[in-house]
Amino acid sequence: MFNKLSLIAVAGLLAAGACGASQFPDPAVDDSLQAAKGKQVAVLAGGCFWGVEAVFEHLKGVDNVVAGFAGGERSTAHYEEVSTGTTGHAESVQITYDPAKITYGQILKVYFSVAHDPTELNRQGPDSGTQYRSSIFYANDDQKRIAEAYIHQLNEAHVFRSTIATQVVPLKGFYAAEAYHQHYADLHPDNPYISTYDLPKVADLKKQYPQMCKR
């Protein structure tokens, strides 16, 4: 993941970012917290899966986050192949959460405001290629409705300086990445890529939404 681009890329990412957390809107269309038992799953892509995974692992109501691939075929769901940008896959995370503690819309709020820059097309920070695209892979009609409504809401409110590039597409399959990719940011905090691009996202989450973070 780590390449030769300088910290100028980070400055560019921040320049394209959204307004402060106090102004970042809640989704107008969302599920309500559900008392029913059972877990639900969200699959999101937003650049390198190391950082996106690290962000969502800190959210209350999230039970598990898996780094992997979505958008392509099972046969090509391997890191080296996905990295060619020819498989149709995007680096993604599968988030298992408790709908009695956190809603799908709240997960999307963190996704758009902290986990990545949704205005970048086929890239994220220093990484470029379709495998780093911004995508929401919906599992049902409710997820599709909430995601599309929120993107429309954010664009209409001009929350970002540019139009959101995030795709909203049906989930055809999610495939876990190799074991060494799992919990990578937590296990390798001194990796230059992690310390430069991913740990600041976790810090932003804790600063902007302390009430949503695990202690």
Side-chain angles (χ1 to χ4, degrees), residues 47-62:
C48 173
F49 45 28
W50 294 343
V52 182
E53 178 192 49
V55 167
F56 286 104
E57 284 182 328
H58 286 80
L59 279 188
K60 290 179 181 178
V62 170

Side-chain angles (χ1 to χ4, degrees), residues 41-56 64-70 90-96 111 115 135 137 171 174 182:
V41 171
V43 176
L44 306 172
C48 173
F49 45 28
W50 294 343
V52 182
E53 178 192 49
V55 167
F56 286 104
N64 190 41
V65 187
V66 178
F69 312 106
E91 291 195 14
S92 307
V93 296
Q94 182 187 68
I95 304 160
T96 301
Y111 170 71
S135 290
F137 295 93
L171 176 65
F174 175 84
Q182 307 304 326

